[in-house]
Amino acid sequence: MARYAPAEIEPKWQAAWDEAGAFAATADPARPKYYVLEMFPYPSGRIHIGHVRNYTMGDVVARYKRAQGFNVLHPMGWDAFGMPAENAAMASGGHPKDWTYGNIADMRGQMKPLGLSIDWSREFATCDPEYYGQQQALFLDFLEKGLVYRKAAVVNWDPVDMTVLANEQVIDGKGWRSGAAVERRELVQWFFRISDYSEELLEALETLDDWPAKVKTMQANWIGKSRGLQFSFSLVDGIEGHDRVEVYTTRPDTLLGASFVAVSPDHPLARSLERHDDGIAAFNAECRRMGTSEEELETAEKKGHDTGLRVRHPFDTSWELPVWIANFILMDYGTGAIFGCPAHDQRDLDFARKYDLPVISTFAPLEDDGQPLAEDGGPAFVPPKSERVIYIRGFAGETEQTGEEAVEAAIRFCEENGVGRGVTKYRLRDWGLSRQRYWGCPIPVVHCDDCGVVPEKKENLPVLLPYDEDGTPIDFSVPGNPLDRHPSWAHTDCPACGKRARRETDTMDTFVDSSWYYARFTAPHAETPTDPEEAAYWMNVDQYIGGIEHAILHLLYSRFFARAMHICGHLPEKSKEPFEALFTQGMVTHAIYQTRDAEGRPVYHFPEEVETRDGTTVLKETGAPVEIVASAKMSKSKKNVVDPVSIIAAFGADTVRWFVLSDSPPERDVEWTASGAEAAHKHLARVHRIVAEIAGLPDEAGQPEEDEALLREMHKTIHDVTQGVESFGFNAAIARLYAFTATLSKSAAGGGAKRQAAAALAQLMSPMTPHLSEELWALLGREGLVIDAPWPEADETMLVEDTVTLPVQVNGKRRAEITVPRDLGKEDVEKAALATDAVAKALEGAAPRKVIVVPGRIVNVVV
RNA sequence: GCCCAAGUGGCGGAAUGGUAGACGCAGGGGAUUCAAAAUCCCCCGGCUUCGGCCGUGCGAGUUCGAGUCUCGCCUUGGGCACCA
């Protein structure tokens, strides 16, 4: 009998699928469509096991839906612009384009052997001029509709390398290459008006029924809708251009506990003051040496500087509050200025204690919990807004209210007294898309001395990145934007007046590229961004799958982009939400193997350099003992990466697919272990052996009860596996298939029933192990390809048993078990339970107070 | 710091509020074999006076019943707007 030989059968069946053109998707309005998409990869050079897991999950869904009769679209492409290509060019010469396309070729070569049911004819990379040219067309449409604008914004500036740094490139406030202290610098940049859609993007989350709740919560918090009071304090002694300070607060109920006003170092008032006050200038300069990330601002030590200015409290003009500049106030949120109420905000309290500012409580707990109030040295009292508290200094005198009621009452009171107005604000900021880098999509506008900013004409698209025009190769050896210093590229004619003018040298954020690729897959070679007919048929993405790390930015940007594309006529109304269902998967982790060098620094080793001898882990080469450090996300620098290519070579693609699905729930991180892969391979070989044996049996009936038992088990397995695949419970579905394989191998049923069960097994496994399933299908003498066989359906009547075994608890502890007819009445179940010796013994003669019978589930006797 | 998750045997994990540990790995024992590989079978949370008792990160709570729900912690992971 032939042994399981994946190296032979996998290429054979892949060729068969190719020959049948099985995965090429063609729109067919007569058939229901299903669009499966995995977040496309960045072409870093090698696929790793995390990619394999992502694409295998998508492939299971795609193959399952195909078996259910859907016209499936399952494409693949490359998120190909971005910094690593430029960094590679800087580090080792060459051109980002060559590096990127080389990587794509390598990775495609590594992915093909996995046997994914991908329509490769739709493949594209975002760095293809055909793609980014259409992206430029989209940009021009957005510009026309007023969805893009320019404004000044701060960036990280490396004063030595004279270049803009990404947050990732700022390490401890210093440039990663130069080591120079990073400065904040203002540049005029392009922005998408995503904040205009805050309310819509927030409200529409409720319609996303098949998105994980956690992702919707994260997006809602990110959008950050808040209700508050906006008003201004008047300065006791105004300065040039400033006689008031406008503030926004979500806690106007604490206004009578205000103790100071604080503004951002980037606030116009702070900027005015620094011109004439060296102390303020020095403080602001220090603040600006911090990075631009919110994380850095929020975790930095809270510092302030007293401006010496005073403001009047709006409800008591004799009450004066100091104005401080504080490093933790964000200019981007609210008005860039706040009032501090230390009694009810821990950060304000820390600030007040540090700078000896007053602490005044406005409310207190209903019942004394023994905790002193903040003004008596206790912590800030910050109850949930829904909690009732007693107001000491409220707008309605001493009353009991929830925070929510008090906030609304405060807003009403302030509005009635002409102090500000109630407003709704969002934390979401507009999306800055300008990048001062080469390897991105050029922004298709021209700067003309006479006409200003002029959009490029659509017929001149794409605005191509220069490669080596005039024999001038792009120079990446010096930092900065090569487009900026290119001798000729930026020189062009103004599309409006024809005068000599200069191209925009900024390129687009790579998030732009990934915000519409899903739409482009529906017509990857259309001469407009989308083809309306194709988009109408294929959109939306029915199942989107990717890493949880994209829960906010990528998905929010894509949701905005789809709306913008709809406004410009590139997507239908229904595609304002482009992803019907979302699944977020966990990462693949691996233990880190390390030894120490002479100085005690860790030296990392690849898993294949390590082996276990007599229970200790050692280096293969030297036998030196190896430390095993806790499992972590696979990364090249820690060498804890496993190359799927070598495992496919050793065990076959089906083994890799089976293992990545079986070992862990898909939403959770998975630890890769070689022994697991080996075990998966053994199991597939076992299935092959069992089915091959069954294939040789005569097609005849066996003992009726044996046949029925096997077929019952088959139908239960069909039911459970279908449920598992539907709900992304791949690991549970596979556990069920293990159990069914064991049942099948032990069954004494006749050849007919066994062949039927074996065929069902092959089908149920086919989304996970498509090659093996084709082989088994053929072995069993079935017609055609298993991918063309309709998904099996469970016979409901075969799922229910006549009797049911119930655990019997006494006071919640399991004491006995009874087997009763499935539809036995509650009273009879109760009698049967009480009749058991174990229950009688546990009761010790006491009479049961209550007996709870959950039909088909459990009996609990309460004493 | 803020937002969102996760935490169950030696390990990966299973469990619509209803028998905790399915299934798999590792380990132990056995069968087969001249021997091995391969394969097959059995055992496998801890304690136990063998009656049971204790066990799902920690501490409270709700419930007839909590891994699951609520509150408060701890730890780990993801995100924090120029990493992709």
Side-chain angles (χ1 to χ4, degrees):
Chain A
M1 192 190 303
R3 285 182 50 131
Y4 174 47
E8 286 161 34
I9 68 173
E10 291 182 356
K12 177 177 79 181
W13 293 110
Q14 285 173 21
W17 300 327
D18 282 348
E19 201 182 316
F23 308 127
T26 310
D28 177 1
R31 292 176 62 204
K33 66 90 191 182
Y34 197 90
Y35 183 1
V36 191
L37 184 65
E38 301 99 55
M39 291 179 186
F40 65 166
Y42 178 77
S44 59
R46 307 286 294 172
I47 60 166
H48 61 72
I49 205 77
H51 292 120
V52 172
R53 192 173 181 226
N54 188 201
Y55 309 139
T56 302
M57 285 178 204
D59 202 46
V60 170
V61 174
R63 287 174 177 273
Y64 167 70
K65 289 292 174 183
R66 191 178 192 283
Q68 285 197 320
F70 288 94
N71 189 17
V72 170
L73 173 58
H74 185 208
M76 180 58 68
W78 310 94
D79 187 14
F81 276 134
M83 290 201 305
E86 251 172 291
N87 293 339
M90 272 196 272
S92 41
H95 191 282
K97 178 178 168 181
D98 302 328
W99 184 86
T100 301
Y101 282 102
N103 285 349
I104 289 173
D106 290 347
M107 289 175 76
R108 190 194 301 113
Q110 292 165 2
M111 278 167 71
K112 287 267 174 115
L114 283 168
L116 302 169
S117 64
I118 284 168
D119 180 357
W120 286 101
S121 74
R122 291 173 186 258
E123 177 191 358
F124 62 77
T126 56
C127 62
D128 295 345
E130 191 186 17
Y131 183 80
Y132 73 72
Q134 294 302 333
Q135 186 163 304
Q136 291 168 341
L138 280 177
F139 179 91
L140 295 179
D141 289 345
F142 288 9
L143 191 58
E144 199 182 313
K145 296 281 184 192
L147 293 161
V148 210
Y149 69 103
R150 297 206 320 151
K151 71 169 179 185
V154 292
V155 292
N156 301 306
W157 179 256
D158 186 320
V160 170
D161 277 355
M162 303 288 279
T163 185
V164 175
L165 297 176
N167 284 337
E168 189 188 55
Q169 298 171 316
V170 180
I171 294 149
D172 295 333
K174 300 195 169 59
W176 66 329
R177 301 173 77 91
S178 70
V182 169
E183 299 168 0
R184 270 195 261 174
R185 174 172 282 211
E186 267 201 347
L187 295 178
V188 177
Q189 309 194 64
W190 289 95
F191 283 82
F192 288 122
R193 288 194 194 276
I194 188 173
S195 68
D196 283 3
Y197 295 83
S198 298
E199 184 62 34
E200 199 182 320
L201 289 166
L202 179 66
E203 269 184 10
L205 286 173
E206 284 170 30
T207 67
L208 302 175
D209 298 331
D210 293 315
W211 279 43
K214 63 179 169 182
V215 174
K216 290 189 278 188
T217 309
M218 282 190 262
Q219 293 223 346
N221 290 339
W222 185 261
I223 293 168
K225 183 179 185 173
S226 67
R227 166 91 175 147
L229 178 75
Q230 186 158 331
F231 69 101
S232 61
F233 288 100
S234 66
L235 281 162
V236 174
D237 297 301
I239 61 162
E240 176 89 51
H242 302 276
D243 55 7
R244 310 188 74 83
V245 181
E246 183 96 3
V247 301
Y248 172 73
T249 177
T250 58
R251 291 311 297 257
D253 57 321
T254 66
L255 182 51
L256 298 177
S259 117
F260 61 92
V261 167
V263 303
S264 162
D266 295 318
H267 192 276
L269 179 64
R271 288 179 179 275
S272 293
L273 288 168
E274 74 185 11
R275 285 203 286 272
H276 308 291
D277 184 323
D278 292 345
I280 290 174
F283 180 76
N284 288 352
E286 190 195 326
C287 292
R288 283 182 204 127
R289 273 198 290 277
M290 283 198 295
T292 55
S293 78
E294 188 170 322
E295 181 188 5
E296 194 177 343
L297 296 180
E298 291 279 353
T299 53
E301 190 197 344
K302 308 293 179 281
K303 284 184 185 169
H305 187 93
D306 189 355
T307 63
L309 296 176
R310 295 287 178 273
V311 292
R312 291 187 192 90
H313 194 283
F315 291 111
D316 178 357
T317 48
S318 67
W319 180 0
E320 293 185 2
L321 301 148
V323 179
W324 286 64
I325 300 169
N327 65 349
F328 56 87
I329 310 293
L330 302 166
M331 192 57 219
D332 286 317
Y333 182 62
T335 61
I338 59 141
F339 75 78
C341 177
H344 304 299
D345 184 296
Q346 190 60 45
R347 188 177 61 182
D348 290 352
L349 183 62
D350 295 342
F351 192 79
R353 292 210 168 122
K354 182 167 181 173
Y355 295 110
D356 202 21
L357 296 161
V359 179
I360 308 153
S361 290
T362 64
F363 54 80
L366 285 183
E367 277 165 49
D368 188 1
D369 57 0
Q371 187 83 259
L373 291 177
E375 56 210 63
D376 302 319
F381 177 49
V382 193
K385 268 189 188 171
S386 56
E387 193 172 309
R388 293 185 76 77
V389 294
I390 176 87
Y391 276 80
I392 312 161
R393 296 169 63 84
F395 287 97
E398 265 197 42
T399 47
E400 232 184 84
Q401 275 181 316
T402 67
E404 282 147 4
E405 290 162 357
V407 165
E408 281 311 315
I411 290 172
R412 261 197 319 277
F413 183 87
C414 290
E415 283 180 341
E416 280 160 13
N417 288 278
V419 176
R421 63 208 156 81
V423 293
T424 298
K425 281 201 190 293
Y426 300 87
R427 204 183 70 101
L428 180 64
R429 310 200 293 256
D430 277 337
W431 168 13
L433 68 122
S434 299
R435 296 292 181 272
Q436 295 70 40
R437 282 191 262 281
Y438 170 85
W439 194 232
C441 171
I443 295 174
V445 299
V446 171
H447 298 272
C448 170
D449 288 342
D450 291 350
C451 312
V453 178
V454 184
E456 183 55 273
K457 289 178 182 159
K458 275 200 182 166
E459 60 260 35
N460 293 338
L461 300 183
V463 175
L464 290 171
L465 286 169
Y467 185 69
D468 64 348
E469 282 78 12
D470 316 326
T472 313
I474 310 299
D475 184 8
F476 292 94
S477 62
V478 280
N481 181 358
L483 294 178
D484 238 355
R485 54 168 192 269
H486 192 277
S488 59
W489 182 77
H491 302 300
T492 186
D493 295 332
C494 171
C497 70
K499 253 185 66 174
R500 293 302 285 166
R502 190 174 159 78
R503 281 197 187 288
E504 170 77 59
T505 56
D506 282 358
T507 52
M508 295 187 205
D509 177 8
T510 56
F511 272 122
V512 180
D513 312 339
S514 56
S515 289
W516 72 286
Y517 75 108
Y518 51 86
R520 185 69 183 169
F521 274 135
T522 65
H525 305 296
E527 288 177 8
T528 44
T530 61
D531 175 307
E533 262 182 49
E534 295 286 337
Y537 178 74
W538 289 115
M539 286 296 283
N540 294 332
V541 176
D542 293 283
Q543 182 66 60
Y544 196 33
I545 306 169
I548 184 66
E549 67 271 22
H550 296 293
I552 299 175
L553 291 178
H554 162 62
L555 290 165
L556 192 61
Y557 289 157
S558 293
R559 295 178 60 219
F560 162 73
F561 229 75
R563 280 174 170 71
M565 287 176 76
H566 167 63
I567 290 167
C568 301
H570 297 300
L571 281 177
E573 169 85 24
K574 67 171 180 186
S575 297
K576 285 161 84 174
E577 286 299 336
F579 310 122
E580 294 292 330
L582 173 70
F583 186 85
T584 53
Q585 55 146 5
M587 298 176 302
V588 179
T589 62
H590 196 282
I592 298 166
Y593 300 112
Q594 65 176 37
T595 53
R596 302 277 176 176
D597 68 8
E599 278 83 51
R601 286 184 302 244
V603 178
Y604 300 107
H605 303 280
F606 288 111
E608 59 264 29
E609 300 172 342
V610 164
E611 67 181 357
T612 304
R613 291 179 199 161
D614 312 324
T616 55
T617 306
V618 296
L619 278 183
K620 276 182 190 168
E621 202 142 299
T622 62
V626 170
E627 288 176 62
I628 303 173
V629 185
S631 205
K633 180 176 176 169
M634 286 191 176
S635 80
K636 274 187 183 173
S637 62
K638 297 275 165 59
K639 293 198 178 179
N640 63 334
V641 288
V642 177
D643 188 343
V645 175
S646 64
I647 298 175
I648 297 172
F651 299 115
D654 283 339
T655 290
V656 175
R657 297 170 57 114
W658 183 260
F659 177 65
V660 295
L661 294 169
S662 69
D663 205 45
S664 184
E667 68 277 10
R668 224 187 283 179
D669 294 350
V670 62
E671 161 111 31
W672 178 268
T673 55
S675 60
E678 223 172 290
H681 183 254
K682 280 183 187 172
H683 176 73
L684 298 187
R686 180 167 176 244
V687 170
H688 184 268
R689 199 167 52 243
I690 291 165
V691 173
E693 207 169 287
I694 289 171
L697 295 177
D699 193 356
E700 60 189 24
Q703 294 288 327
E705 59 275 18
E706 292 290 349
D707 282 6
E708 188 185 319
L710 179 60
L711 293 180
R712 269 186 187 278
E713 200 54 30
M714 178 187 85
H715 282 284
K716 279 189 204 159
T717 306
I718 291 171
H719 176 265
D720 292 353
V721 171
T722 304
Q723 287 279 302
V725 171
E726 285 276 354
S727 62
F728 277 78
F730 302 126
N731 54 330
I734 283 178
R736 197 68 188 73
L737 287 166
Y738 268 106
F740 184 53
T741 304
T743 304
L744 179 59
S745 81
K746 285 176 198 160
S747 171
K754 281 191 161 187
R755 296 174 68 101
Q756 198 187 336
L761 178 63
Q763 277 193 281
L764 292 174
M765 288 174 71
S766 68
M768 296 94 162
T769 57
H771 314 86
L772 173 60
S773 288
E774 291 291 2
E775 187 71 13
L776 301 179
W777 196 249
L779 275 175
L780 289 164
R782 296 286 179 139
E783 288 286 310
L785 294 168
V786 76
I787 55 165
D788 290 325
W791 190 254
E793 272 185 53
D795 180 348
E796 296 289 329
T797 62
M798 296 287 269
L799 300 180
V800 286
E801 303 282 355
D802 297 335
T803 61
V804 61
T805 299
L806 300 178
V808 181
Q809 298 181 331
V810 176
N811 285 335
K813 286 199 184 299
R814 182 180 171 280
R815 296 295 176 188
E817 214 171 68
I818 51 172
T819 299
V820 295
R822 186 168 51 85
D823 46 8
L824 190 68
K826 275 195 179 188
E827 294 78 14
D828 295 325
V829 173
E830 183 177 329
K831 271 185 208 151
L834 292 174
T836 59
D837 294 346
V839 170
K841 189 180 168 202
L843 288 177
E844 291 170 333
R849 201 152 51 83
K850 192 156 96 177
V851 179
I852 289 151
V853 177
V854 184
R857 273 291 172 194
I858 202 165
V859 180
N860 191 10
V861 181
V862 186
V863 186

